[in-house]
Amino acid sequence: MGTRESNEQAGGTGRRALLGAAVLGASGAVLGPVGTARAADARRSGGRGLKGLPVPTVIGHRGASGYRPEHTLGAYQLALDMGADIVEAGDLVPTRDGHVVCRHEPEIGGTTDVADHPEFAGRRTTKTLDGVPVTGWFTEDFTLAELKRLRAVERIPANRPHNTLYDGRWEIPTFEEVLRWQDEQTRKRGKQVWIYPEAKHPTYFRRLGLGLEERVAKLLREHGKDRRNSPVVLQSFEPTSIRRFGRLVDNPLVVLLSGAGSRPWDFVESGDPRTVADLITPEGLKEIASYAQGIGPTLDLVIPRDSGGRLTEPTTLVRDAHRAGLILHPYTLRNENPFLPADFRRGTDPDAYGDVFGAYRAYFATGIDGIFTDQPDTGLLAREDFVNK
């Protein structure tokens, strides 16, 4: 998630102040026959679905991406070990030969070592992605076999220098590999593991003949995870993509919402004049509730920031969404100073942590149902503190 997020490339270095480095949850032993059967039942039914999740739900954003390069099995695994309720595995983009892989964006120059592969130098190009010129290497220009020759690297090393220790350790996972990993982890841990994949730039890929929704739906059906209570929540910034998913599978669906003045790219392409501000009115939320179960707004739609970056008063979005019957899983809370509201920063080092627990308390107090975070351990500690206060 998060092509619309701000402050992604904040610069600088410095000594990182680590919070909550201890793992909150162990992966558990391999189950015996009874545990295996229960885990299989959980995989089939998803239990109570979204209603069975803790509130507020802690969602590992691209895994535990504050500690490992994002969208790797290592980041996903650590998020589970820390106790995340759901893992955002992953942001889904297609390959040239029609496979679905997990990358933050189709452009992979910042998240892989592709630039170090001379055999792929000629693939570097400039494309227009949702109206914005982007230069780099794109997944749709590679076969899966070619992408498997690459290795993941830290996307924002200036903010997360420690993560560069893990550069080159993991390959790019396919979505099918993630679905198998989910089953394996469910068996080992004796409880259902949830994932929260996002369809990235679906209109862009559909124009290339690489429609994402059909490919993702096919994989979900093949793995028996296409039902209303299946432990796979599908999300997209494009409402028409969510509507298309709703015609293909019965999974819980979430519409992502960027800044109030922005327009979903499918709206731009179709000439729909509405902005996110229109979608978050009571009428707009009622319409979303007719085809989705939730929304994923940027945190600024829940509590705006003033010109100095400080939090102001909460909006009515939480109340209005709940009245429409929608859950809210806003994005993304990160521990590092540049990503926190100004009133919760400590010093100026971009890789040092601010008062992240104060920030969590402010957002949890609005009544949100969950939150995306790059550091699930601090999210879980904050939840424990908040719900038990």
Side-chain angles (χ1 to χ4, degrees), residues 120-157:
F120 297 138
R123 307 276 179 96
R124 191 172 188 268
T125 187
T126 298
K127 300 189 180 191
T128 300
L129 186 61
D130 290 4
V132 179
V134 178
T135 298
W137 293 262
F138 295 80
T139 59
E140 67 267 23
D141 295 332
F142 291 77
T143 65
L144 178 59
E146 289 172 332
L147 287 178
K148 284 295 187 178
R149 290 154 62 181
L150 308 179
R151 292 296 179 268
V153 300
E154 171 55 38
R155 185 175 57 85
I156 46 175

Side-chain angles (χ1 to χ4, degrees), residues 20 73 109 146 176 205 212 229 238 250 262 296 338 363:
L73 290 181
E146 289 172 332
E176 186 159 27
F205 285 119
L212 273 170
N229 284 340
E238 298 188 14
D250 291 328
S262 66
Y363 291 117

Side-chain angles (χ1 to χ4, degrees), residues 89-141:
D91 290 334
L92 305 180
V93 293
T95 67
R96 187 173 71 193
D97 49 349
H99 294 276
V100 180
V101 297
C102 303
R103 284 293 84 194
H104 169 51
E105 286 289 321
E107 198 291 301
I108 55 174
T111 61
T112 73
D113 61 357
V114 63
D116 297 331
H117 287 255
E119 69 272 27
F120 297 138
R123 307 276 179 96
R124 191 172 188 268
T125 187
T126 298
K127 300 189 180 191
T128 300
L129 186 61
D130 290 4
V132 179
V134 178
T135 298
W137 293 262
F138 295 80
T139 59
E140 67 267 23
D141 295 332

Side-chain angles (χ1 to χ4, degrees), residues 1-36:
M1 171 200 300
T3 56
R4 284 75 170 173
E5 295 176 50
S6 61
N7 246 341
E8 289 282 358
Q9 299 295 340
T13 56
R15 192 160 71 95
R16 191 172 189 180
L18 292 176
L19 290 176
V23 171
L24 297 184
S27 58
V30 176
L31 302 175
V34 174
T36 302

Side-chain angles (χ1 to χ4, degrees), residues 4 7 11 55 65 77-78 90 93 130 153 175 207 235 240 243 323 331 338 348 354 356 365-366 370:
R4 284 75 170 173
N7 246 341
V55 177
S65 55
Q77 184 76 31
L78 183 58
V93 293
D130 290 4
V153 300
F175 185 48
R207 287 186 175 274
Q235 56 178 335
T240 56
R243 287 181 179 272
R323 285 179 176 175
Y331 67 93
T348 59
V356 63
T366 66

Side-chain angles (χ1 to χ4, degrees), residues 61-78 102-103 110-112 151-156 160-171 173:
H61 184 234
R62 308 175 197 162
S65 55
Y67 305 114
R68 301 289 187 272
E70 65 192 27
H71 286 313
T72 60
L73 290 181
Y76 301 157
Q77 184 76 31
L78 183 58
C102 303
R103 284 293 84 194
T111 61
T112 73
R151 292 296 179 268
V153 300
E154 171 55 38
R155 185 175 57 85
I156 46 175
R160 293 169 178 172
H162 180 74
N163 286 12
T164 63
L165 295 172
Y166 302 95
D167 284 357
R169 179 170 295 193
W170 293 288
E171 63 182 26

Side-chain angles (χ1 to χ4, degrees), residues 56-386:
T57 302
V58 174
I59 305 158
H61 184 234
R62 308 175 197 162
S65 55
Y67 305 114
R68 301 289 187 272
E70 65 192 27
H71 286 313
T72 60
L73 290 181
Y76 301 157
Q77 184 76 31
L78 183 58
L80 288 184
D81 289 344
M82 287 181 166
D85 303 308
I86 311 181
V87 180
E88 191 193 27
D91 290 334
L92 305 180
V93 293
T95 67
R96 187 173 71 193
D97 49 349
H99 294 276
V100 180
V101 297
C102 303
R103 284 293 84 194
H104 169 51
E105 286 289 321
E107 198 291 301
I108 55 174
T111 61
T112 73
D113 61 357
V114 63
D116 297 331
H117 287 255
E119 69 272 27
F120 297 138
R123 307 276 179 96
R124 191 172 188 268
T125 187
T126 298
K127 300 189 180 191
T128 300
L129 186 61
D130 290 4
V132 179
V134 178
T135 298
W137 293 262
F138 295 80
T139 59
E140 67 267 23
D141 295 332
F142 291 77
T143 65
L144 178 59
E146 289 172 332
L147 287 178
K148 284 295 187 178
R149 290 154 62 181
L150 308 179
R151 292 296 179 268
V153 300
E154 171 55 38
R155 185 175 57 85
I156 46 175
N159 299 105
R160 293 169 178 172
H162 180 74
N163 286 12
T164 63
L165 295 172
Y166 302 95
D167 284 357
R169 179 170 295 193
W170 293 288
E171 63 182 26
I172 297 173
T174 67
F175 185 48
E176 186 159 27
E177 288 169 344
V178 166
L179 292 172
R180 291 170 180 161
W181 168 86
Q182 180 187 22
D183 288 343
E184 176 188 76
Q185 292 302 311
T186 295
R187 288 192 298 269
K188 287 183 176 180
R189 295 168 189 272
K191 65 178 182 178
Q192 181 61 61
V193 168
W194 281 71
I195 61 173
Y196 209 135
E198 176 191 347
K200 300 303 292 268
H201 307 288
T203 294
Y204 168 81
F205 285 119
R206 186 162 294 278
R207 287 186 175 274
L208 296 178
L210 292 168
L212 273 170
E213 295 88 353
E214 292 80 5
R215 287 172 167 79
V216 172
K218 180 175 183 289
L219 290 169
L220 292 173
R221 287 193 295 268
E222 288 174 352
H223 287 262
K225 299 178 181 181
D226 59 332
R227 304 180 180 96
R228 182 181 63 182
N229 284 340
S230 292
V232 181
V233 186
L234 298 171
Q235 56 178 335
S236 175
F237 277 101
E238 298 188 14
T240 56
S241 177
I242 293 300
R243 287 181 179 272
R244 183 171 283 110
F245 272 127
R247 294 191 291 270
L248 295 169
V249 294
D250 291 328
N251 295 72
L253 305 172
V254 170
V255 175
L256 298 172
L257 300 168
S258 189
S262 66
R263 290 170 69 196
W265 187 250
D266 53 336
F267 285 15
V268 175
E269 288 279 334
S270 67
D272 189 326
R274 289 179 296 168
T275 66
V276 168
D278 297 306
L279 297 181
I280 61 175
T281 63
E283 295 77 16
L285 293 168
K286 184 178 179 180
E287 179 188 343
I288 291 175
S290 71
Y291 60 88
Q293 287 68 53
I295 57 173
T298 178
L299 285 168
D300 288 348
L301 293 177
V302 177
I303 309 180
R305 303 187 194 191
D306 63 21
S307 59
R310 294 175 174 80
L311 293 184
T312 60
E313 291 299 312
T315 68
T316 62
L317 179 58
V318 175
R319 181 198 68 192
D320 295 341
H322 284 164
R323 285 179 176 175
L326 294 165
I327 61 170
L328 294 92
H329 289 163
Y331 67 93
T332 303
L333 202 146
R334 298 177 167 98
N335 292 353
E336 296 94 349
N337 273 324
F339 306 121
L340 289 170
D343 29 345
F344 296 105
R345 297 172 192 165
R346 289 173 173 159
T348 59
D349 286 348
D351 60 338
Y353 289 179
D355 177 16
V356 63
F357 295 108
Y360 274 114
R361 284 191 290 272
Y363 291 117
F364 286 169
T366 66
I368 59 175
D369 301 281
I371 195 164
F372 284 84
T373 175
D374 286 13
Q375 290 93 354
D377 53 346
T378 55
L380 290 159
L381 289 168
R383 180 175 70 193
E384 181 180 0
D385 176 63
F386 181 78

